[in-house]
DNA sequence: CTTTTGACATGTG
DNA sequence: TCACATGCCAAAA
């Protein structure tokens, strides 16, 4: 597994319950500011295995960026379970974005 | 080989 | 707020 992916996973695992990070933010922390898309791809393929809190990663607008409705709903429920308020698939980043 | 397609971001108008 | 352009890069077609 390449070092960038390692850092992405490590960064996501550092997000506490009740907090969220954006794809771009994760990419920056992992050392490649322009790799937001790769972060998304990594989650799509590896979320199952690495007991990863993938549901705490959303897009820059604070929205759940998933196409598949079932998975999107699952993410919303997980977030609400942790106390994150989700309205119409959107989260208020001012309140819930996690800052390193 | 090239083109298309994303669980995206950011700047501009 | 929305639309559009551009950057990025891997996987699929």
């Amino acid at each position: 597994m390449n070092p960038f992916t390692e850092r992405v996973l490590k960064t996501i695992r550092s997000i506490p319950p009740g907090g969220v990070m954006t794809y771009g933010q994760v990419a920056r922390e992992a050392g490649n500011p322009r790799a937001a898309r790769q972060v998304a791809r990594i989650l799509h393929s590896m979320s199952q295995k690495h007991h990863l809190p993938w549901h705490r990663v959303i897009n820059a607008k604070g929205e759940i960026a998933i196409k598949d409705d079932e998975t999107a709903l699952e993410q919303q429920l997980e977030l609400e379970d942790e106390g994150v308020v989700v309205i119409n698939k959107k989260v208020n980043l001012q309140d819930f974005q996690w800052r390193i």
Side-chain angles (χ1 to χ4, degrees):
Chain A
M1 190 165 300
N2 72 345
F4 173 68
T5 303
E6 289 282 1
R7 276 175 301 190
V8 167
L9 299 181
K10 188 180 175 72
T11 301
I12 292 175
R13 277 191 291 256
S14 77
I15 308 173
V20 298
M21 277 180 92
T22 69
Y23 292 96
Q25 193 181 3
V26 171
R28 280 198 304 279
E29 291 302 324
N32 189 343
R34 307 188 207 356
R37 230 159 182 161
Q38 279 69 303
V39 171
R41 196 184 53 72
I42 289 168
L43 295 190
H44 182 63
S45 55
M46 309 200 159
S47 54
Q48 319 298 352
K49 306 182 175 182
H50 307 68
H51 69 78
L52 204 59
W54 59 272
H55 56 275
R56 296 183 194 141
V57 184
I58 58 186
N59 72 19
K61 291 181 285 199
E63 296 171 321
I64 291 177
I66 300 181
K67 307 214 159 196
D68 181 52
D69 288 341
E70 274 192 64
T71 316
L73 181 59
E74 184 186 331
Q75 173 169 20
Q76 173 169 342
L77 295 179
E78 287 269 6
L79 288 174
E80 289 177 334
D81 221 36
E82 299 178 345
V84 176
V85 179
V86 182
I87 298 172
N88 288 351
K89 304 281 178 292
K90 282 190 244 170
V91 172
N92 185 325
L93 289 177
Q94 296 296 323
D95 295 337
F96 299 106
Q97 183 168 33
W98 177 246
R99 298 148 217 284
I100 309 290

